[in-house]
Amino acid sequence: MNDPQHESPTPPTASQRILNFVEAVGNKVPHPAIIFLILTGLVVLASHVLYITGASVSYDVVVLPPESAAHSEVEPPSVADTGIAVEYRTLDEAKAQIETRTTPAKSLLTADGIRFIYTSLIPNFMGFNAIGLLIVAMIGAGLAEEAGLVNALIHKLVMVSPRNALTYILVFLGIMSSVAADAGYLVLIPLAGTAFISVGRHPLAGIAAGFAAVGGAFTVNMVIKPLDAVLTEFTNDAIHLVDPTLSIDLGANLWFSIASVLFLTVVISLITELLIEPRLGVYVPAEPVDTRCRISPEEARGLKWALGALLGSLLLFGLLTLPAGAPLRNPQTGALIGNSPFMNGLIAVIMVLFLSTGIAFGTGVGKFKSVNDVINAIVKSVSSLGGTIFLMLIISQFVAYFNYSNIPTLMAVSMSSALVEADIGPFWLLIGFIGVVTLLDLFFTPAIAKWAIFAPVFVPLFVQLGVAPEAVLAAYRIGDGPMNAITPLNAYFALVVGFSQKYDKQAGVGTIVSLMLPYVVGLIVLWTLLFAAWFLLGLPWGI
C-alpha cells in the first residue's frame, strides 16, 4: 500500500511487492460498473460464437418432479441463488428425478436472445436476491449504527475480550454468520473494520478478515443450515442412481464442518495477523479517531435498554418457534433447525433484532426522541446504498445473460468430464474434484446450481469406487468456498469495495483482490490438506 494512509515501518518483502503490484494493476481497471458492462458485452459475443459453432453438452441432472414443484411453498431459487429458497419437505418425500439433458449454447444475438434482453431488464433486477437482502439488512443494521449501538457494542467487545483474541472472535462470528445466509456480508464485514480501527489496528485488515470468514468459509457451520438440506437432497438422489438403499442425513458433514470452522478460524486469523497487517502497515486516518474503548453513562443506560429489547424480541421469536406446531417450524416435519421457515427467513429475525435494540438504545441515550427520528435514521442508512443498487442492476443483467447463454453449464460439464476420464484413483480424483469446483466457482458462484450438475456425475462415480458420498459432499464444500472471497462475480464483492473506501478513498478492485489473495491461497491449500488427512485417517464425516 503506497498512499499516506498506510505507513509501513519496514521495507516490503517479495510477497508484499507482488501483492502491491496486483493491487496497482487491479486499481487501474475502470469502475466496477464499467467492468461488468464490458463483461456483459463479452458474454453476448461469446454466446453467439458458441451458438454458431454448435457447442453443446449432455449430462445427468437432478430435477424436482413437476407435481412436487407445483406444491412448493416458496419461490424457486433465482439466477442469483444464495441457497436459501428451499421447499418444506422431508428428504424421503422429495424423491427428485435424474434426467439426461442436452444443453446447447444459446445466443443473445438471435431474435430470441434479443427479446430476452429487451423484456428481462426488470425481472433480472427484481430476481437478484442480494438486493432484497441488502436493503432489508440495512434497515435494521443501519438504524443500529445510526443510533450508536454498533460502536457501543464494539467498544464493549473490545473491553471484555483479550486483545490477542479479537481477530479470532470476529473471524469465528463471520464463519458462523452463514447460518443467516448472506447477512454476514452486510453486517459482520463492516463491523470487523470498525472493531479493528477502534483498537488502533488497520480497518482494511478487519474488512479482509471478515470477508475471508463470511465468503471463503460460507459452506460450513457448526449447526445445520438451509443450504445443507438442498445439498443433501441432491446428493441422495445422485446416490440412488447406483444404490437405491443408501442415503445420507442432514448431519452427514457435521463433524467435518465443525472441525473446519475451528480450523479456518485459526487459519484466517493467522493470515490476517502475520501477512495482511504487516503489509498494510500503520493506518493514519484522514481525521483523528478516538481509539479509547470506554462506555459513557448514557451508553451504559442505552445498552441496558437494548438488552431489554433483545430479550423481548427473543421471547417473541421463542413463542413463534419453540412450541410444537409453531408457525415458524417446518409444517410437514415440525423441524426447527435445517429446512424450516425460521431458518429460511433468518434475515427477517436479524432485521427485527437490530431494529428493536437500535430503537431501544437510541431512546436510552437520548438520540431518538420521536418516531420521526427513527424513520430519518433508517432513511439515511438506506439512502447510502444508491451507488451499490445501481451497480447491482448491472451485475444482475450480466448474471442473467451469462446463465441464459448456458456458458456456465458448458464449462461445468466439460471440466467434470475431463476429470472423470483422468483415471487417477479415488483419493487424487477427490483432490482434482476440489480443484475443478474451485476453478469453476471463480466464474459460476451459485452453490445449488453447481451441485445440481456435479452431483449426478461425481457422486455415483465415487460410490462405485467405494468412497463415502459424505466425503464427496465435503470435498464440494471446500471447492465452493474460498473463491467467493475474491471473485468479482460475487454479488457482494462491490459492496466490500465500498466498505473499504470508507477508510481509503483510493481503494478499488485491485485493493480487495490483493488483500484477499493470501486468504484464498491459504484456504485452498490448508483446507484441502485437512480434508486429505480426514479422508486418509478414515474419520467420520458427520452423524
Side-chain angles (χ1 to χ4, degrees):
M1 314 290 281
N2 298 316
D3 67 79
Q5 288 184 319
H6 311 283
E7 298 180 355
S8 181
T10 59
T13 63
S15 62
Q16 290 174 347
R17 286 196 295 270
I18 293 173
L19 293 175
N20 289 341
F21 175 76
V22 171
E23 177 183 4
V25 173
N27 283 343
K28 291 184 183 299
V29 301
H31 188 279
I34 302 300
I35 293 175
F36 275 99
L37 286 173
I38 294 172
L39 290 174
T40 301
L42 292 176
V43 165
V44 171
L45 293 177
S47 71
H48 193 65
V49 171
L50 292 171
Y51 171 75
I52 61 178
T53 58
S56 67
V57 292
S58 296
Y59 58 98
D60 292 332
V61 65
V62 181
V63 294
L64 295 175
E67 63 272 14
S68 297
H71 292 88
S72 173
E73 298 188 23
V74 293
E75 293 296 320
S78 71
V79 294
D81 163 39
T82 57
I84 61 171
V86 295
E87 299 181 5
Y88 306 132
R89 299 177 297 173
T90 65
L91 295 180
D92 289 337
E93 295 169 338
K95 292 299 183 182
Q97 302 168 347
I98 304 298
E99 180 181 290
T100 299
R101 292 180 178 175
T102 297
T103 298
K106 294 172 66 175
S107 173
L108 286 154
L109 293 178
T110 60
D112 286 341
I114 293 172
R115 279 192 287 268
F116 173 78
I117 293 174
Y118 180 77
T119 60
S120 67
L121 175 64
I122 301 302
N124 294 342
F125 184 56
M126 298 304 293
F128 202 54
N129 289 347
I131 297 169
L133 290 169
L134 173 63
I135 294 175
V136 170
M138 278 302 295
I139 289 175
L143 171 70
E145 183 173 3
E146 286 295 320
L149 175 61
V150 174
N151 284 335
L153 287 174
I154 290 173
H155 286 164
K156 193 71 174 179
L157 173 66
V158 172
M159 290 170 61
V160 301
S161 302
R163 184 178 179 87
N164 293 336
L166 180 62
T167 306
Y168 294 84
I169 293 172
L170 290 171
V171 169
F172 176 77
L173 293 176
I175 297 175
M176 292 297 294
S177 71
S178 65
V179 73
D182 296 348
Y185 286 104
L186 310 172
V187 178
L188 194 284
I189 295 175
L191 185 149
T194 305
F196 266 50
I197 198 173
S198 70
V199 294
R201 297 171 66 179
H202 204 297
L204 293 192
I207 288 175
F211 193 17
V214 174
F218 183 81
T219 54
V220 293
N221 208 291
M222 300 180 87
V223 298
I224 304 298
K225 57 184 181 178
L227 177 63
D228 296 322
V230 184
L231 298 182
T232 301
E233 180 178 317
F234 282 6
T235 303
N236 279 330
D237 287 303
I239 294 171
H240 296 162
L241 285 171
V242 293
D243 188 351
T245 65
L246 179 64
S247 295
I248 64 173
D249 296 323
L250 277 174
N253 281 162
L254 185 59
W255 303 139
F256 180 73
S257 292
I258 291 174
S260 294
V261 169
L262 299 175
F263 179 75
L264 296 180
T265 296
V266 175
V267 169
I268 293 172
S269 299
L270 289 177
I271 291 174
T272 301
E273 296 178 349
L274 300 180
L275 297 178
I276 304 303
E277 288 192 276
R279 173 175 173 255
L280 288 172
V282 178
Y283 179 71
V284 181
E287 299 178 359
V289 177
D290 185 3
T291 59
R292 293 175 297 172
C293 294
R294 62 185 186 276
I295 300 294
S296 68
E298 293 78 13
E299 289 175 325
R301 182 176 62 249
L303 287 174
K304 290 180 181 178
W305 288 30
L307 177 60
L310 175 63
L311 295 176
S313 299
L314 292 178
L315 176 61
L316 171 63
F317 284 109
L319 295 174
L320 294 174
T321 57
L322 297 180
L328 296 187
R329 287 181 173 272
N330 186 305
Q332 274 74 48
T333 67
L336 178 62
I337 303 300
N339 186 15
S340 69
F342 173 71
M343 296 298 292
N344 293 332
L346 270 180
I347 189 68
V349 178
I350 291 172
M351 181 191 72
V352 171
L353 292 180
F354 271 118
L355 277 176
S356 61
T357 55
I359 293 173
F361 181 87
T363 303
V365 299
K367 186 165 187 177
F368 296 155
K369 296 181 173 61
S370 68
V371 175
N372 287 339
D373 292 335
V374 175
I375 294 175
N376 290 336
I378 295 175
V379 171
K380 181 180 178 181
S381 62
V382 175
S383 64
S384 65
L385 299 176
T388 302
I389 291 175
F390 167 70
L391 180 58
M392 287 190 173
L393 170 64
I394 297 174
I395 294 175
S396 66
Q397 306 310 310
F398 167 79
V399 172
Y401 298 169
F402 195 47
N403 289 336
Y404 176 88
S405 70
N406 287 329
I407 291 176
T409 303
L410 296 176
M411 292 174 61
V413 175
S414 299
M415 293 170 68
S416 62
S417 297
L419 184 59
V420 168
E421 294 171 1
D423 191 24
I424 54 178
F427 173 76
W428 291 109
L429 190 59
L430 278 169
I431 301 301
F433 174 60
I434 292 174
V436 167
V437 177
T438 298
L439 181 60
L440 186 63
D441 196 45
L442 188 62
F443 308 99
F444 185 38
T445 58
I448 292 175
K450 286 199 300 293
W451 192 231
I453 295 173
F454 278 139
V457 176
F458 285 101
V459 172
L461 170 67
F462 281 112
V463 169
Q464 290 176 312
L465 292 174
V467 177
E470 295 91 336
V472 188
L473 182 55
Y476 178 75
R477 293 179 190 275
I478 296 172
D480 191 56
M483 283 297 183
N484 292 328
I486 201 170
T487 174
L489 299 187
N490 183 332
Y492 297 101
F493 185 91
L495 191 65
V496 176
V497 174
F499 291 150
S500 301
Q501 289 173 343
K502 176 181 178 181
Y503 305 104
D504 181 358
K505 300 300 183 184
Q506 298 178 353
V509 173
T511 304
I512 303 305
V513 170
S514 65
L515 284 175
M516 302 314 300
L517 191 57
Y519 293 107
V520 171
V521 174
L523 289 178
I524 292 173
V525 173
L526 297 177
W527 202 0
T528 301
L529 289 176
L530 174 66
F531 172 86
W534 203 282
F535 179 83
L536 294 175
L537 291 173
L539 299 176
W541 299 97
I543 56 177

